[in-house]
Amino acid sequence: MKNIKILTLALTVSLIAFNCSNDDDNNMSMEEPVLDFSGTYSQEDQMGRPAVNTVFNASADKDAFNVTTPTAQSAAFQSKFEANLLALSPAYADGGMNALGQDAAAFTGLLATDVLNVSLDGTTTFYDGEPANTLSGRALADDVITVELLLIFGGEDFTENPGLSNDNVSENDKTFLTSFPYLASPH
Amino acid sequence: MKNLKRVLGIGVVAVASCFVIAADHIDAPEVSGGNSDITDFYAFQAENEDNLVLVANIQGLISPANTAAASFSENVMVEFNIDTNQDNVEDLVIQAIPRDGKMYFFGPVAPSQTGLNSIIETTSTAGGSVAISSYGGAAVTASNGGMSFFAGPRDDPFFMDFARFTQILTPGDDDGDGEEETAFLPAGSASDTFAGTNVMSIVVEVPKSMIGGSGKINTWVESKRK
């Protein structure tokens, strides 16, 4: 009898232990852990067209620009962009325009809503010399800095301030891929 | 030329230290050099002309020696915003967020809320995931539902003689030749300041039919932190 009681106790203990470990197994699950995507994510940086925040905003405005929605950017920043552009480039003085036919107000009015316009109907480029393709996307090989320098300094026909309107670096240091993921392998 | 220099001098004062680093690299104090700092955004027609490619690069100027240790933060979500009706408010988003060595993509999907604060749209039926590529290994890609995905280190595709640009905009002689720099260097002498550096890239290829189909859309990329 004593042996049975001990055996029963032992069995009970082992059953409890088994149940515990079994429960643990259920809780832990053999499946992949459930991923936690909960919570609110708050904006820190944003970008549409290249170099807009870098070139056209003063230091004190850069953080604010990054957390202003595109719909609110023009009202908050266009006049500052225009003042900075006029201070930076002589090409817009006395009603001067860029090669897109824009004066300082029109050019900065375009840039101050910082979204990248993209065509879903064919060629996608920031600028390739073909007027119909202007601002239809941004391809990896697009020389966007020279285009922006030309629009800032180059005047109506891209001939003004030639020393400032081309940085003379016109391609990447690595060749892009023709297939996904398109960007070159790291150095 | 003297007038130009004077005008440029005023420009330097007025725009002050805003010429930090180009496309969007290290663009603002709050994000500069951190794991939410967007360096560049690209959108272009894919090899398959029915698709569009969206590229977000973050964490610029990573040297080869530091690239193996570079990583995506699980607290930072990168969000591609797509406006299909020309009001500059996002109608669709594609969100990318890393977990346990994989990058998870949600969308294109109409966001629960537009603007500066977002939740992860986990109920989106579109999307997928891809293992984050490691430095030195082949690019790992994945496809699901007509979309393709990549996340990992890549060569920084941006190019510019940023060093010379800085010299031009900084008053006085910066390169030791006794003269103020007033122009870019000629081809051959100019050099790409970003040559030899890497970024952390997120690349999504998506059927145009899922983001408006035809016509023009407006796009931009955001980084958001939990």
Side-chain angles (χ1 to χ4, degrees), chain A residues 172-177 181-187, chain B residues 62-70 133-140 150-157 194-201:
Chain A
N172 191 40
D173 59 326
K174 275 202 160 192
T175 304
F176 300 120
L177 315 179
Y182 304 100
L183 280 72
S185 61
H187 293 273
Chain B
I62 306 171
S63 70
N66 290 333
T67 303
S133 294
S134 58
Y135 183 57
V140 180
F150 171 85
R154 293 271 101 182
D155 159 62
D156 187 347
F194 302 86
T197 67
N198 299 320
V199 290
M200 296 299 283
S201 293

Side-chain angles (χ1 to χ4, degrees), chain A residues 7-81:
Chain A
L7 183 60
T8 305
L9 184 61
L11 278 171
T12 305
V13 168
S14 68
L15 274 172
I16 290 167
F18 180 77
N19 281 336
C20 280
S21 86
N22 206 26
D23 283 349
D24 284 346
D25 282 348
N26 286 339
N27 289 342
M28 296 295 284
S29 171
M30 296 302 286
E31 297 165 18
E32 279 191 34
V34 175
L35 298 171
D36 179 10
F37 292 111
S38 67
T40 299
Y41 290 72
S42 299
Q43 189 156 317
E44 294 197 344
D45 200 358
Q46 70 178 324
M47 176 180 184
R49 302 185 186 94
V52 169
N53 196 20
T54 307
V55 172
F56 290 96
N57 268 320
S59 296
D61 290 324
K62 290 179 186 300
D63 285 328
F65 188 76
N66 278 336
V67 291
T68 302
T69 59
T71 49
Q73 285 173 338
S74 188
F77 298 101
Q78 185 276 328
S79 63
K80 292 180 176 179
F81 277 28

Side-chain angles (χ1 to χ4, degrees), chain B residues 94-113:
Chain B
I94 300 173
Q95 300 174 328
I97 178 98
R99 290 286 180 273
D100 298 335
K102 283 186 174 179
M103 187 67 76
Y104 289 83
F105 294 83
F106 300 99
V109 60
S112 306
Q113 59 187 102

Side-chain angles (χ1 to χ4, degrees), chain A residues 32-33 35-59 62-63 66-71 83-90 113-125 132-145 149 153 161 163-174 176-187, chain B residues 4 7-8 11 15 17-19 21-24 27-31 36-38 40-47 52-53 55 57 64 75 77 87-89 97 99-100 104 106 116-120 122 135 141 148-150 153-161 168-169 182-187 190-192 195-198 201 203 205 208 211 213-226:
Chain A
E32 279 191 34
L35 298 171
D36 179 10
F37 292 111
S38 67
T40 299
Y41 290 72
S42 299
Q43 189 156 317
E44 294 197 344
D45 200 358
Q46 70 178 324
M47 176 180 184
R49 302 185 186 94
V52 169
N53 196 20
T54 307
V55 172
F56 290 96
N57 268 320
S59 296
K62 290 179 186 300
D63 285 328
N66 278 336
V67 291
T68 302
T69 59
T71 49
N84 288 339
L85 176 65
L86 290 168
L88 179 66
S89 173
T113 299
D114 188 22
V115 299
L116 184 66
N117 319 104
V118 180
S119 170
L120 299 179
D121 300 323
T123 301
T124 44
T125 181
N133 293 340
T134 301
L135 295 179
S136 59
R138 181 182 177 190
L140 293 171
D142 285 348
D143 190 356
V144 295
I145 290 300
L149 290 170
F153 294 106
N161 310 305
L164 294 166
S165 57
N166 191 339
D167 70 340
N168 296 310
V169 175
S170 56
E171 61 184 10
N172 191 40
D173 59 326
K174 275 202 160 192
F176 300 120
L177 315 179
T178 55
S179 299
F180 194 85
Y182 304 100
L183 280 72
S185 61
H187 293 273
Chain B
L4 178 56
V7 172
L8 271 177
V15 198
S17 56
C18 74
F19 293 89
I21 284 276
D24 202 74
D27 63 307
E30 287 285 330
V31 294
S36 68
D37 191 5
I38 298 165
D40 265 301
F41 171 51
Y42 300 82
F44 54 91
Q45 182 168 267
E47 182 181 27
L52 193 79
V53 181
V55 177
N57 291 335
N75 289 322
M77 182 259 285
D87 63 359
N88 298 313
V89 176
I97 178 98
R99 290 286 180 273
D100 298 335
Y104 289 83
F106 300 99
L116 302 178
N117 297 304
S118 296
I119 62 167
I120 308 293
T122 53
Y135 183 57
T141 64
S148 298
F149 310 100
F150 171 85
R154 293 271 101 182
D155 159 62
D156 187 347
F158 185 70
F159 50 89
M160 177 187 182
D161 192 344
I168 293 169
L169 289 159
T182 58
F184 284 102
L185 295 168
S191 64
D192 176 10
T197 67
N198 299 320
S201 293
V203 188
E205 183 167 324
K208 293 176 179 176
I211 53 171
S214 63
K216 276 216 173 180
I217 57 174
N218 297 315
T219 61
W220 65 100
V221 67
E222 300 167 347
S223 62
K224 293 176 169 173
R225 184 183 300 275
K226 181 175 177 177

Side-chain angles (χ1 to χ4, degrees), chain B residues 118-131:
Chain B
S118 296
I119 62 167
I120 308 293
E121 304 292 348
T122 53
T123 59
S124 169
T125 53
S129 66
V130 64

